[in-house]
């Protein structure tokens, strides 16, 4: 098992709802999302992404690392810490080895972003591979990881220990933080204890 930090840097108005953070809209499952829709529409992207990324000049080295982390390195059973804002965070567990590319991702009819803006319904068999708003504006999401909630809305002030606090300040999209496993396990024990009070 590895532990990751994943910051929602792409389409927050939709990405947080896909994690079902507000409980108002529910797709039946919870998804962690990531940008680069142009990569998520390529055939065999999951299998070939390492080679594809080497050939994409507009991706900086950090972007390449973040894409590879999300698409290739994160695996079933890994834990992912997701900062909700500067005050709290949630922990999720990945339940599949591979992400879902946007070309295969389904958006049900009636799904709205956090501002109430309607997304265009998208089924797997649609010819349009991108997710769009009803007005045809393309949404900058390319990959999705199915997750399950482990602990939500944990106060950074109450739960974060010194070693992990440094990692939480990382402003990039994702970072492997497995060296903080002891801290994360302490957080989970503390969280479970708080539920049993």
């Amino acid at each position: 098992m590895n532990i990751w930090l994943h910051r929602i840097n792409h389409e927050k108005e939709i990405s947080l709802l896909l994690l079902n953070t507000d409980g108002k809209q529910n797709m039946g499952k919870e998804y962690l999302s990531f940008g680069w829709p142009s990569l998520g529409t390529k055939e065999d992207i999951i299998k070939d992404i390492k080679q594809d990324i080497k050939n994409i000049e507009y991706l900086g080295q950090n972007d390449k690392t973040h894409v590879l982390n999300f698409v290739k390195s994160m695996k079933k059973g890994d834990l992912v810490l997701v900062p909700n804002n500067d005050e709290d965070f949630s922990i999720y567990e990945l339940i599949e080895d591979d992400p879902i590319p946007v070309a295969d991702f389904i958006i049900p009819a009636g799904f709205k972003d956090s501002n109430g803006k309607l997304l265009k319904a998208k089924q797997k068999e649609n010819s349009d591979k991108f997710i769009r708003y009803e007005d045809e504006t393309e949404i900058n999401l390319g990959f999705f990881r199915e997750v399950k909630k482990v602990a939500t809305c944990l106060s950074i002030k109450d739960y974060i220990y010194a070693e992990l606090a440094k990692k939480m300040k990382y402003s990039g999209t994702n970072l492997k933080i497995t060296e903080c496993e002891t801290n994360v396990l302490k957080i989970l024990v503390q969280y479970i204890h708080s539920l049993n009070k």
Side-chain angles (χ1 to χ4, degrees):
M1 173 189 75
N2 284 312
I3 300 173
W4 301 87
L5 174 70
H6 183 84
R7 193 171 296 283
I8 301 294
N9 285 334
H10 298 94
E11 304 285 1
K12 191 175 271 195
E13 309 80 22
I14 298 165
S15 295
L16 290 174
L17 293 178
L18 292 175
L19 281 169
N20 197 25
T21 55
D22 69 354
K24 294 176 185 171
Q25 289 189 100
N26 192 341
M27 292 190 42
K29 297 178 180 179
E30 290 141 354
Y31 297 96
L32 192 62
S33 55
F34 186 69
W36 301 107
S38 59
L39 293 175
T41 59
K42 293 185 175 187
E43 299 296 325
D44 297 322
I45 190 66
I46 306 304
K47 182 177 74 176
D48 299 329
I49 194 160
K50 284 187 180 179
Q51 188 57 43
D52 283 343
I53 283 186
K54 287 177 188 174
N55 297 328
I56 298 173
E57 293 177 10
Y58 63 81
L59 281 179
Q61 189 54 50
N62 283 342
D63 291 331
K64 290 178 183 181
T65 299
H66 297 153
V67 172
L68 286 172
N69 282 345
F70 195 84
V71 175
K72 281 293 207 183
S73 300
M74 293 180 175
K75 294 294 180 188
K76 180 178 180 180
D78 287 357
L79 295 179
V80 185
L81 277 67
V82 180
N84 300 325
N85 50 49
D86 291 336
E87 297 179 3
D88 62 47
F89 68 102
S90 297
I91 302 174
Y92 297 88
E93 181 183 341
L94 292 170
I95 61 173
E96 297 290 341
D97 275 335
D98 292 324
I100 303 165
V102 67
D104 296 334
F105 193 68
I106 294 169
I107 291 287
F111 192 86
K112 297 178 182 177
D113 73 7
S114 60
N115 297 317
K117 193 172 177 183
L118 189 64
L119 276 68
K120 190 175 180 180
K122 178 184 174 300
Q123 301 302 316
K124 193 172 178 178
E125 62 274 3
N126 283 22
S127 59
D128 186 355
K129 295 181 177 182
F130 294 95
I131 296 174
R132 299 179 188 272
Y133 282 108
E134 279 286 303
D135 66 6
E136 298 298 330
T137 304
E138 188 180 304
I139 294 166
N140 183 24
L141 293 175
F143 298 97
F144 306 84
R145 303 293 308 243
E146 190 176 345
V147 294
K148 68 178 179 181
K149 291 177 185 172
V150 175
T152 57
C153 299
L154 301 171
S155 164
I156 288 175
K157 182 180 73 168
D158 295 339
Y159 283 92
I160 293 294
Y161 299 91
E163 178 189 1
L164 189 53
K166 291 178 194 171
K167 301 290 185 188
M168 293 288 277
K169 291 178 182 174
Y170 179 70
S171 61
T173 304
N174 54 48
L175 180 68
K176 187 175 179 183
I177 59 169
T178 305
E179 67 271 18
C180 297
E181 180 177 9
T182 302
N183 285 188
V184 173
L185 294 177
K186 281 182 187 176
I187 290 168
L188 292 175
V189 168
Q190 186 179 347
Y191 174 71
I192 291 166
H193 179 72
S194 73
L195 294 178
N196 294 328
K197 281 185 177 180

